[in-house]
Amino acid sequence: MRFENTGIEKFKANLTRLDELMSNYGLVREGAWDYERVTYDRKFDIKEGIFYLRVQGHAVEGDVGAKKAVIQLLTPLLGKYYYPHGVEYGEGENFPKSLVDQCEKILADLKAEIEKFAL
């Protein structure tokens, strides 16, 4: 599921600030990066299954590995985890309304925070 029109995809921001802010909302980057891309994930383990809220971005300046990059954020995603295949983001997936509402709230809060330091 794509969260269209959140406004997050309009922002570019410093990687270090993004890492700090995202972790405040439970979105972690950990090893999900290369020198040009980042992925922040938040895991939701609820009775309907395991789901991931994902916010991705790509470096428009600098190098992610050196921790000196400007990141252009992309449209956030919500996916359901299936063992052993991985996470599915398809339109045919059913996502609990309470989870979708929670993710929308997180994304709205993130947008308000990122706006303060976006480039």
Side-chain angles (χ1 to χ4, degrees):
M1 170 180 188
R2 294 171 56 90
F3 288 98
E4 301 286 351
N5 303 313
T6 62
I8 286 177
E9 63 279 354
K10 297 176 186 174
F11 294 125
K12 295 177 190 166
N14 176 282
L15 174 65
T16 307
R17 298 281 307 270
L18 274 178
D19 282 350
E20 183 179 309
L21 176 66
M22 294 295 192
S23 70
N24 292 342
Y25 288 91
L27 289 148
V28 294
R29 180 162 61 99
E30 297 296 326
W33 64 274
D34 65 19
Y35 294 98
E36 298 174 349
R37 292 180 291 252
V38 294
T39 300
Y40 298 95
D41 286 321
R42 178 168 173 173
K43 180 179 179 180
F44 296 89
D45 191 351
I46 58 178
K47 70 177 182 172
E48 292 88 345
I50 297 173
F51 299 86
Y52 286 91
L53 174 60
R54 174 167 279 184
V55 179
Q56 298 173 301
H58 63 87
V60 292
E61 278 180 40
D63 181 318
V64 173
K67 297 184 180 174
K68 294 185 178 183
V70 173
I71 304 297
Q72 171 69 59
L73 294 171
L74 304 174
T75 302
L77 304 168
L78 180 61
K80 183 171 183 180
Y81 176 76
Y82 291 97
Y83 177 82
H85 304 292
V87 181
E88 293 291 331
Y89 301 97
E91 295 300 317
E93 297 298 325
N94 292 316
F95 299 101
K97 181 172 178 2
S98 61
L99 175 62
V100 172
D101 292 345
Q102 184 178 1
C103 290
E104 287 173 341
K105 169 81 168 98
I106 291 168
L107 294 170
D109 291 348
L110 272 173
K111 178 184 181 265
E113 292 292 322
I114 295 170
E115 265 179 333
K116 297 174 185 174
F117 64 85
L119 305 173

